[in-house]
């Protein structure tokens, strides 16, 4: 089980060793305290990976936002990759996608009652969020597993089932951004994009091969698709996936790893993939290619794209009328396997509740009063944000 899409370039392994030494040196500086990791008096949950390419970060961050938003005040903080602005920005009702990036824009459209912010400097952004909203309960860090300047309370590492890190190599020979032992920083490891029919033996093989420590929790998730929604409604209705069996479908993607999506849709329809690079900004020649490809396909036909791609397609010029009339977005969410959902949810909610700002301030007050009463010369206690 070495992943369906893993490609290792053995000729580049010497460069991978050099790259590995540089990354190890950086991690060592953090371990020695020369480079500083900051803790904050608010629950912080980081979600990320140690590989190049998509591992399902956005659906998992959205799952956490959905889980927490009815009980707590939630903020999502992202770097805002490829945005046209700089510095700290909060997504408002009238903000545009280029100002904050496609993934933060997508999340803000889904969760109106969740604060969405972007900033390359995560520590600065956390300070800003805590200052702007005194009632904020938890911050979700998107794509921040390797951003070690922030010390989260829970570190979640995502691992693509189709490219398990245990069989991968460091850049540039493989796609690992740091050595495999980087997974040891994770409190939770989630194997993502698993097949719906994953066999019990495969669970056991992966669990053993991941070789996690006792303090680490391992979960498995799969992708679940909702019915297709028209991008330009104009009186059109949603389309169930079950109705695509006689349809020619153009699958239009600009994401890092479209392989799982292709695999899932192939049994349902006659699929023609048209893939661009991750976060691709569609230009005039790209739009013409989309129009020409769709026009050449036999009827009945439609176009399916992702939620992230829609944020970049909505306002482009030049899409033909036929494309606009047949363009659908495929909503996706994650589902836990092995009946693990309740365990995961309880762990996350318990951590946020136990480590709320009010609880921490009350604990500090009690600690200070206790020290005053006993005239202790001990140093103040360090509050741990881990709830293992």
């Amino acid at each position: 089980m070495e992943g369906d899409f893993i490609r290792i370039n053995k000729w580049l392994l010497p460069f991978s060793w050099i790259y590995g030494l540089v990354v190890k040196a950086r991690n060592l500086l953090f371990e020695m305290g020369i480079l500083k990791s900051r803790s904050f008096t608010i629950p912080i949950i980081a979600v990320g990976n140690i590989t190049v390419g998509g591992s399902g970060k956005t659906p998992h961050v959205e799952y956490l936002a959905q889980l927490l938003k009815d009980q707590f005040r939630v903020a999502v903080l992202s770097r805002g990759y490829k945005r046209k602005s700089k510095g700290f920005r909060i997504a408002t009702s009238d903000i545009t996608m280029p100002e904050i990036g496609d993934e933060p824009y997508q999340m803000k459209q889904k969760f109106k009652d969740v604060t969405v912010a972007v900033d390359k400097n995560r520590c600065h952004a956390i300070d800003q969020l805590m200052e702007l909203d005194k009632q904020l309960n938890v911050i979700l860090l998107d794509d921040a597993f390797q951003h070690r300047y922030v010390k989260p309370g829970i570190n979640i590492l995502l691992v693509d089932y189709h490219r398990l890190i245990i069989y991968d190599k460091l850049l540039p020979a493989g796609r690992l951004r740091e050595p495999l032992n980087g997974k040891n920083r994770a409190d939770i490891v989630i194997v993502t994009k698993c097949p719906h029919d994953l066999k019990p033996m495969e669970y056991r093989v992966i669990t053993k091969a991941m070789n996690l420590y006792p303090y680490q929790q391992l979960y498995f998730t799969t992708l679940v698709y909702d019915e297709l929604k028209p991008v330009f409604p104009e009186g059109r209705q949603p389309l169930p996936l079950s109705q695509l069996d006689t349809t020619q479908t153009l699958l239009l993607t600009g994401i890092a790893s479209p392989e799982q999506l292709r695999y899932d849709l192939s049994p349902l329809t006659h699929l023609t993939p048209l893939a661009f690079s991750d976060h691709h900004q569609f230009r005039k020649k790209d739009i013409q290619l989309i129009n020409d490809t769709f026009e050449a396909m036999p009827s009945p036909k439609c176009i399916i794209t992702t939620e992230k791609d829609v944020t970049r397609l909505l306002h482009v010029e030049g899409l033909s009328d036929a494309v606009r009339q047949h363009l659908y977005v495929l909503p996706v969410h994650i589902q836990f396997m092995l009946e693990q959902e309740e365990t995961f949810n309880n762990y996350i909610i318990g951590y946020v509740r136990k480590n709320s700002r009010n609880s921490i301030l009350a604990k500090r007050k009690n600690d200070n009063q206790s020290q005053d009463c006993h005239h202790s010369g001990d140093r103040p206690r360090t509050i741990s944000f881990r709830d293992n």
Side-chain angles (χ1 to χ4, degrees):
M1 177 185 296
E2 297 194 7
D4 298 338
F5 309 108
I6 291 185
R7 300 289 184 270
I8 303 298
N9 190 330
K10 295 182 180 180
W11 296 104
L12 294 176
L13 283 174
F15 298 99
S16 295
W17 298 333
I18 297 172
Y19 174 82
L21 289 175
V22 174
V23 176
K24 287 179 180 178
R26 176 180 183 269
N27 284 335
L28 183 61
L29 292 176
F30 278 103
E31 301 300 332
M32 296 174 62
I34 297 174
L35 293 178
K36 303 295 184 181
S37 297
R38 280 186 62 189
S39 295
F40 293 85
T41 56
I42 188 173
I44 295 177
I45 302 173
V47 180
N49 58 25
I50 59 172
T51 58
V52 174
S55 56
K57 293 186 297 294
T58 300
H60 284 79
V61 173
E62 289 179 349
Y63 180 93
L64 290 168
Q66 182 66 44
L67 172 67
L68 297 170
K69 70 182 184 65
D70 292 335
Q71 300 184 52
F72 308 100
R73 291 177 70 91
V74 180
V76 176
L77 174 59
S78 173
R79 177 177 52 161
Y81 185 63
K82 286 194 174 182
R83 63 188 171 113
K84 302 301 182 182
S85 62
K86 294 183 179 180
F88 177 75
R89 298 294 297 272
I90 285 186
T92 58
S93 58
D94 58 349
I95 203 163
T96 63
M97 185 279 292
E99 293 178 87
I100 59 172
D102 50 12
E103 291 169 347
Y105 185 83
Q106 173 187 325
M107 276 186 267
K108 187 58 183 178
Q109 297 307 302
K110 281 190 175 182
F111 304 105
K112 304 294 186 181
D113 49 353
V114 169
T115 300
V116 176
V118 295
D119 196 341
K120 185 177 180 180
N121 187 333
R122 310 291 178 90
C123 290
H124 171 261
I126 293 171
D127 286 334
Q128 292 293 309
L129 287 169
M130 293 175 64
E131 178 64 27
L132 291 171
D133 187 355
K134 302 297 185 182
Q135 303 302 314
L136 188 63
N137 298 122
V138 57
I139 298 174
L140 307 177
L141 296 185
D142 181 22
D143 195 12
F145 187 82
Q146 290 191 294
H147 190 87
R148 301 197 59 183
Y149 291 99
V150 176
K151 188 175 182 180
I154 294 179
N155 227 349
I156 299 178
L157 173 64
L158 304 181
V159 177
D160 189 337
Y161 167 86
H162 298 283
R163 195 173 182 102
L164 295 173
I165 57 177
I166 50 180
Y167 303 122
D168 213 337
K169 298 294 183 181
L170 284 167
L171 291 167
R175 293 173 65 179
L176 288 180
R177 293 190 290 189
E178 66 174 286
L180 184 59
N181 63 9
K183 67 182 173 63
N184 298 341
R185 298 197 306 275
D187 301 289
I188 293 174
V189 177
I190 303 178
V191 180
T192 68
K193 303 182 182 179
C194 295
H196 295 273
D197 59 350
L198 196 63
K199 304 297 188 293
M201 177 60 73
E202 291 185 90
Y203 288 117
R204 292 193 289 269
V205 170
I206 294 174
T207 299
K208 182 177 181 180
M210 287 298 295
N211 193 29
L212 300 181
Y213 284 100
Y215 63 83
Q216 296 177 296
Q217 302 178 34
L218 179 64
Y219 295 90
F220 296 81
T221 61
T222 188
L223 297 178
V224 178
Y225 305 105
D226 299 326
E227 64 181 2
L228 296 165
K229 296 180 179 179
V231 175
F232 303 100
E234 300 168 356
R236 293 159 57 221
Q237 299 299 315
L239 179 64
L241 288 173
S242 59
Q243 295 184 13
L244 295 178
D245 55 335
T246 61
T247 302
Q248 299 285 333
T249 300
L250 177 62
L251 179 60
L252 174 60
T253 59
I255 57 177
S257 300
E259 294 90 353
Q260 183 65 43
L261 185 55
R262 294 177 192 167
Y263 179 84
D264 291 337
L265 292 180
S266 292
L268 305 176
T269 184
H270 303 282
L271 205 62
T272 300
L274 183 57
F276 296 89
S277 60
D278 195 21
H279 301 279
H280 183 76
Q281 299 298 321
F282 296 100
R283 305 184 185 280
K284 185 176 180 180
K285 64 178 182 179
D286 303 320
I287 300 303
Q288 190 60 52
L289 176 60
I290 295 169
N291 291 341
D292 292 344
T293 304
F294 185 68
E295 183 179 356
M297 293 171 56
S299 297
K301 56 187 176 180
C302 73
I303 304 179
I304 294 178
T305 193
T306 70
E307 293 174 291
K308 186 166 78 170
D309 290 312
V310 162
T311 65
R312 287 174 276 115
L313 283 169
L314 269 174
H315 305 293
V316 298
E317 297 181 355
L319 288 176
S320 68
D321 290 340
V323 168
R324 292 173 62 92
Q325 290 171 12
H326 295 87
L327 182 59
Y328 291 86
V329 60
L330 180 59
V332 61
H333 61 272
I334 67 161
Q335 179 176 298
F336 281 85
M337 309 178 79
L338 300 176
E339 300 182 347
Q340 295 177 317
E341 181 175 357
E342 184 176 356
T343 301
F344 178 85
N345 291 354
N346 289 340
Y347 180 81
I348 296 295
I349 293 172
Y351 158 73
V352 176
R353 183 173 290 124
K354 182 177 180 180
N355 295 281
S356 68
R357 295 162 89 177
N358 290 338
S359 298
I360 291 172
L361 292 174
K363 184 175 178 62
R364 283 182 168 175
K365 181 178 180 180
N366 292 336
D367 287 346
N368 290 336
Q369 289 175 343
S370 177
Q371 290 170 6
D372 290 341
C373 289
H374 292 89
H375 302 285
S376 172
D378 295 338
R379 295 175 60 190
R381 293 172 60 192
T382 299
I383 297 176
S384 171
F385 298 105
R386 290 189 191 276
D387 185 22
N388 291 330

